[in-house]
Amino acid sequence: MSLKRVLGASTALTLIAGASLAQDTTITIATVNNGDMIRMQGYTDQFTAETGIGVEWVTLEENVLRQRVTTDITTNGGQFDIMTIGMYETPIWGANGWLVPLDGLSEDYDVDDILPAMRDGLSHDGTLYAAPFYGESSMVMYRTDLMEKAGLEMPHAPTWQFIREAAAAMDDPDAGINGICLRGKPGWGEGGAFITVTGNSFGARWFDEDWTPQFDQPEWAEALNFYVNLMNDYGPDGYENNGFNENLSLFQQGLCGMWIDATVAASFVTNPDDSEVADSVGFALAPNSEGVDRKANWLWAWALAIPAGTQQADAAQTFIEWATSTDYIELVAENEGWANVPPGARSSLYENPDYIAVPFAQTTLDSINAADPTNPTVDPVPYVGIQFAAIPEFAGIATEVSQEFAAAYAGQQTVEEALEKAQAITTEAMEAAGY
């Protein structure tokens, strides 16, 4: 891929002319160990060859990444020139002045092509503070062969009650097949994210309009009991330790009848080089509980942002333009096929007939469009966010709550005990914060 195509001719010529001066420039990027991010690292030698900007990667498990970048940004540590963050952190950190505004992106980059849901979620007061590498919602991925064998047909918009029926029908312990695989791993963005959207789909919410925690309400008891019973009956052993990557591995090995998780996983489970069930995977919207007008889907982007403490802001922005451009998408498509390009970030991708023909493309877009961060629950709430509440205190509170829930998944305490502790943890933290 030509640098001129990514940055525009005049910018590219300036960079190439000065490449000899840039040879000593190296940026350090902190990122998550997800497949699309690993793929991006494989192409950065080309970026370095064309710009003279070296790239060092710090690749971390999701929970560890969040801890490291949060510590670095809040202490102005300066370890990283680019951070991989998401829709929760970006507007909060941007408002605090902790991120470099991305208001100098080139005209060729075409900021307006970024999907509105992604652009809005990565902005504060109309200023973009992070560029989406990929965007996602969540959806059902399922084994079409096992569904057919069970004599069932997956609806485009299933209910949780159907999901339980299908899990029971596909569960085959003798063959090592779990009816369903879902996240239980502690962490606000791991199992915490999944159980929050599950709660939404049963009519639950984190807070009422007065910021009073709601874990003592019947909707949370219904949601958490349903989840625990479903997973105890038809999920894998030790599911309290499973996050995105663990469940991806199980599904690719053919050990899950269904998996409800990030839409970005679709390219991995349908890749015959990695997935044993690539030719028998179907897709559906995330479920809702019967009679509840909310689905268990989220809205997220893994995005690239520049911390205010960097000494390499110009080089960092050059990399962000390269990695999140339409031409990077075309580079991956040329080398690995359209199914493997980073999804969910740009409108033009979903106007491309080559991409929209990919089996999961339309369901991914439908899932993203169905997610409304400003109206995430049945009853009104004072916060924005679907799998999170966009307040600074949420990450710490939700991490503790997810640990209590994981203890219930592991059988170390009852659902009732976990909810009681969640209510106490959240109430104490919110009162201390002055809500």
Side-chain angles (χ1 to χ4, degrees), residues 52 77 83 122 151 156 163 238 242 245 256 339 342 345 368 402:
M83 294 175 167
L122 297 169
H156 181 60
I163 293 295
N242 292 348
N245 284 323
C256 306
I368 290 172
S402 71

Side-chain angles (χ1 to χ4, degrees), residues 85-431:
I85 60 176
M87 289 184 166
Y88 169 68
E89 301 94 344
T90 300
I92 295 172
W93 293 2
N96 287 342
W98 294 346
L99 300 175
V100 176
L102 297 182
D103 51 8
L105 295 167
S106 68
E107 184 176 342
D108 290 341
Y109 179 77
D110 193 5
V111 172
D112 292 338
D113 185 44
I114 298 173
L115 283 168
M118 301 301 161
R119 189 169 65 244
D120 292 347
L122 297 169
S123 299
H124 172 70
D125 282 348
T127 297
L128 189 71
Y129 281 94
F133 182 70
Y134 68 77
E136 67 181 34
S137 184
S138 50
M139 65 182 177
V140 182
M141 293 160 278
Y142 65 96
R143 292 272 302 276
T144 55
D145 56 337
L146 296 183
M147 188 71 70
E148 182 179 355
K149 182 180 178 182
L152 298 173
E153 184 174 345
M154 175 69 77
H156 181 60
T159 64
W160 276 115
Q161 288 70 27
F162 177 84
I163 293 295
R164 182 176 174 87
E165 177 187 355
M170 290 190 287
D171 194 60
D172 187 354
D174 292 339
I177 297 173
N178 304 284
I180 191 164
C181 296
L182 300 174
R183 297 189 194 189
K185 188 176 187 176
W188 73 263
E190 275 279 12
F194 188 84
I195 199 61
T196 292
V197 295
T198 301
N200 294 345
S201 68
F202 278 82
R205 52 185 175 165
W206 267 80
F207 306 102
D208 68 12
E209 291 180 283
D210 297 320
W211 291 104
T212 303
Q214 297 293 290
F215 291 106
D216 58 356
Q217 298 301 302
E219 293 84 359
W220 263 114
E222 183 181 5
L224 195 57
N225 274 301
F226 180 91
Y227 173 83
V228 169
N229 290 333
L230 174 68
M231 293 301 289
N232 285 347
D233 290 345
Y234 309 118
D237 292 338
Y239 68 89
E240 68 276 8
N241 298 313
N242 292 348
F244 174 85
N245 284 323
E246 291 81 6
N247 284 322
L248 171 61
S249 178
L250 288 171
F251 193 93
Q252 288 178 321
Q253 294 175 65
L255 304 180
C256 306
M258 290 177 290
W259 179 31
I260 305 170
D261 212 297
T263 54
V264 72
S267 67
F268 306 133
V269 298
T270 57
N271 186 338
D273 292 336
D274 301 316
S275 175
E276 297 177 19
V277 295
D279 60 350
S280 56
V281 182
F283 306 95
L285 297 178
N288 65 293
S289 186
E290 290 179 357
V292 177
D293 186 24
R294 290 296 182 279
K295 298 186 184 302
N297 65 321
W298 59 64
L299 186 69
W300 186 253
W302 277 120
L304 303 179
I306 305 171
T310 181
Q311 301 300 309
Q312 309 280 5
D314 289 345
Q317 182 165 301
T318 299
F319 181 86
I320 288 175
E321 287 209 29
W322 174 81
T324 64
S325 68
T326 55
D327 286 319
Y328 175 84
I329 291 174
E330 291 177 9
L331 172 68
V332 176
E334 289 169 6
N335 286 278
E336 304 184 43
W338 281 103
N340 294 307
V341 305
R346 287 185 170 267
S347 298
S348 57
L349 181 63
Y350 293 91
E351 296 165 0
N352 184 325
D354 291 326
Y355 185 71
I356 209 67
V358 172
F360 51 80
Q362 189 61 53
T363 304
T364 295
L365 184 61
D366 291 345
S367 298
I368 290 172
N369 288 338
D372 183 0
T374 64
N375 193 28
T377 55
V378 174
D379 294 325
V381 290
Y383 55 86
V384 172
I386 301 177
Q387 74 276 30
F388 58 84
I391 57 174
E393 297 80 11
F394 180 81
I397 296 170
T399 295
E400 286 193 58
V401 168
S402 71
Q403 290 166 347
E404 296 299 337
F405 287 174
Y409 307 157
Q412 297 167 359
Q413 61 183 352
T414 66
V415 165
E416 291 72 21
E417 289 169 336
L419 288 170
E420 183 178 347
K421 290 178 181 178
Q423 182 74 8
I425 288 167
T426 310
T427 299
E428 181 180 357
M430 293 298 282
E431 289 176 352

